[in-house]
């Protein structure tokens, strides 16, 4: 079995959506093997691309899986499974931030503005579990930057359209 199929199976084991076959088709649009020519000759695993823009556009069909008022929870659930399958270690709170940033486009956002938006969102019913203190929020943004989900410079941040995952050693 090839690496890509293995990754899809790992993701699908962790996801609990009703339309699993449609979700699998959706995954094939979001994740694929990179045709990056910089792959080293000694690498065991191929580089993969996770297209965040394709995820955000296509996830609209799955965002109400857990109820109309829980679209962020469904997105965090899916992103958590995808990150697990791709070997990316991020907390659910950090994935919540990523999903919130999806509508920002190419515009830059200041950290304090984003944090105040999220504080208002965290005050609502199903999202209190994702609330973070100011210090934790800053650390989460740094983690997202290190994982290449966002660009974060001089207090401005914006989400990347896609990221390349280069496996050093998978297991």
């Amino acid at each position: 079995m090839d690496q890509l199929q293995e990754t899809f199976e790992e993701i699908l084991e962790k996801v609990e959506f009703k339309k699993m076959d449609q979700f699998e088709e959706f995954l094939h649009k979001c994740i694929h093997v990179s045709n990056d020519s910089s792959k080293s000759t000694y690498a065991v695993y191929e580089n993969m691309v996770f297209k965040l823009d394709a995820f955000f556009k296509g996830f609209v069909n799955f965002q109400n899986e857990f109820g109309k008022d829980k679209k962020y929870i469904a997105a965090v659930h899916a992103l958590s499974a995808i990150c697990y399958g791709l070997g990316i270690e991020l907390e659910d709170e950090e994935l919540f931030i990523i999903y919130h940033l999806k509508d920002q486009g190419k515009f830059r956002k200041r950290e304090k503005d984003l944090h105040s938006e999220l504080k208002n969102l965290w005050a609502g019913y199903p999202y209190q579990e994702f609330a973070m203190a100011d210090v934790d929020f800053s650390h989460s943004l740094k983690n997202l930057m290190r994982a290449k989900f966002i660009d974060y410079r001089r207090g401005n941040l914006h989400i990347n359209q896609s990221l390349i995952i280069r496996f050093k050693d998978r297991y």
Side-chain angles (χ1 to χ4, degrees):
M1 181 176 355
D2 70 334
Q3 175 191 0
L4 188 62
Q5 192 57 39
E6 242 178 75
T7 301
F8 287 142
E9 286 181 12
E10 285 179 7
I11 293 169
L12 291 171
E13 284 176 11
K14 303 239 346 142
V15 174
E16 299 172 12
F17 288 151
K18 294 172 191 149
K19 308 171 196 168
M20 289 300 283
D21 49 340
Q22 288 178 353
F23 189 76
E24 185 174 6
E25 288 175 27
F26 169 65
L27 281 178
H28 286 280
K29 294 175 185 169
C30 298
I31 302 170
H32 57 84
V33 172
S34 171
N35 50 5
D36 184 10
S37 61
S38 67
K39 181 184 172 200
S40 65
T41 55
Y42 59 85
V44 179
Y45 300 102
E46 296 178 300
N47 297 333
M48 288 197 194
V49 175
F50 175 36
K51 299 184 82 39
L52 282 167
D53 56 346
F55 176 82
F56 294 141
K57 288 176 190 167
F59 194 72
V60 174
N61 299 330
F62 302 97
Q63 70 184 8
N64 291 329
E65 283 285 323
F66 301 136
K68 223 172 188 159
D69 60 337
K70 297 179 182 173
K71 67 180 182 180
Y72 279 83
I73 295 172
V76 167
H77 177 69
L79 283 169
S80 177
I82 290 170
C83 286
Y84 173 80
L86 295 174
I88 301 169
E89 294 182 23
L90 290 174
E91 299 294 321
D92 287 350
E93 293 83 1
E94 295 163 342
L95 298 172
F96 186 90
I97 294 170
I98 287 293
Y99 195 69
H100 179 73
L101 285 171
K102 75 179 177 2
D103 296 326
Q104 300 302 318
K106 294 187 180 195
F107 297 104
R108 297 189 179 273
K109 184 135 198 98
R110 289 212 170 272
E111 177 181 342
K112 67 179 184 173
D113 296 337
L114 174 63
H115 196 213
S116 64
E117 280 178 22
L118 288 170
K119 281 182 180 179
N120 291 336
L121 194 57
W122 291 330
Y125 155 60
Y127 305 129
Q128 294 97 349
E129 66 185 275
F130 300 108
M132 287 187 240
D134 295 350
V135 175
D136 294 335
F137 182 73
S138 292
H139 288 292
S140 292
L141 290 179
K142 296 287 184 186
N143 285 341
L144 291 170
M145 180 190 70
R146 285 185 205 104
K148 307 284 190 235
F149 277 84
I150 62 171
D151 283 332
Y152 180 52
R153 292 188 192 115
R154 296 186 199 134
N156 288 319
L157 57 96
H158 74 276
I159 198 161
N160 290 323
Q161 298 298 309
S162 62
L163 54 124
I164 296 177
I165 296 94
R166 291 181 171 87
F167 295 108
K168 293 179 180 97
D169 186 13
R170 179 102 167 148
Y171 298 100

